[in-house]
Amino acid sequence: MAGHCWIATGVDDQALLLGYGILNHSFFEQNSIALVVVKENVRRRGVATALIKALEAQCCGSKVFTSTNASNMPVRGLLDRLGYIESGRIENLEVGDSELVFVKLIAS
Ligand SMILES: CC(C)(COP(=O)(O)OP(=O)(O)OC[C@H]1O[C@@H](n2cnc3c(N)ncnc32)[C@H](O)[C@@H]1OP(=O)(O)O)[C@@H](O)C(=O)NCCC(=O)NCCS
C-alpha cells in the first residue's frame, strides 16, 4: 500500500532538509506513523512535533498508531508530550528491547 513521506525544510532555505516522517497503513491497515527522523543538529527545536502534527492532519479516521523500542526515550518523551498512549507491546523483534505500540485518539 502506498505510503507518504513528509519533509521538514528550513524556513529560509527549502533545500535544507531538517527531517522527515512517513505515514502509511502498514500496521493492521490502520493509520500508522512508520518513521520520524530529525537531523541531529536541529533536534529539540520542535521539528518532530511539527512533522507528527502534519502527519496526524492527513489521517482519515479517529486514531493513529506508531511504535518504538522501549529503549528509545527521546521518542517516548515525544509521544507522551503529543498525547499518545501505550497500546500494546511486541516481544522478540529485538533481543532485550520490546517494541512498544502507541495510539493517539484523534478528536473528530
Ligand atoms: C526522536 C526525534 C524524532 C525527536 O525529534 P525532535 O525534533 O528533537 O523533537 P521535538 O523537538 O519536537 O521534541 C518535542 C518533545 O519531545 C521530547 N523529546 C525529544 N527529544 C528528547 C530526548 N532526547 N530526550 C527526552 N525527551 C525528548 C521532549 O518532551 C521534547 O520537548 P522539549 O524539547 O520541550 O523538552 C529525534 O531525536 C530523532 O530523529 N531521533 C532519531 C531517530 C529515531 O529514533 N526516530 C524514531 C524511530 S521511529
Side-chain angles (χ1 to χ4, degrees), residues 3-108:
H4 294 101
C5 183
W6 268 255
I7 306 290
T9 63
V11 176
D12 299 322
D13 179 3
Q14 295 201 342
L16 182 64
L17 179 67
L18 304 181
Y20 63 93
I22 295 173
L23 176 71
N24 61 29
H25 294 89
S26 61
F27 185 76
F28 294 98
E29 299 181 4
Q30 302 287 319
N31 295 314
S32 170
I33 296 176
L35 189 59
V36 175
V37 179
V38 172
K39 200 172 168 187
E40 220 165 316
N41 65 348
V42 294
R43 289 181 186 169
R44 304 302 286 266
R45 296 190 202 172
V47 175
T49 298
L51 275 166
I52 290 178
K53 287 184 174 172
L55 297 180
E56 289 171 358
Q58 304 303 315
C59 290
C60 301
S62 58
K63 55 193 171 180
V64 57
F65 288 86
T66 190
S67 72
T68 190
N69 290 100
S71 63
N72 195 333
M73 297 315 288
V75 176
R76 291 178 64 178
L78 174 69
L79 295 176
D80 182 55
R81 180 142 171 182
L82 288 172
Y84 285 74
I85 54 173
E86 256 192 76
S87 188
R89 171 187 291 257
I90 302 166
E91 306 294 352
N92 301 308
L93 288 174
E94 284 184 40
V95 178
D97 197 3
S98 312
E99 186 76 8
L100 302 182
V101 178
F102 291 84
V103 68
K104 182 170 182 177
L105 305 176
I106 303 169
S108 52

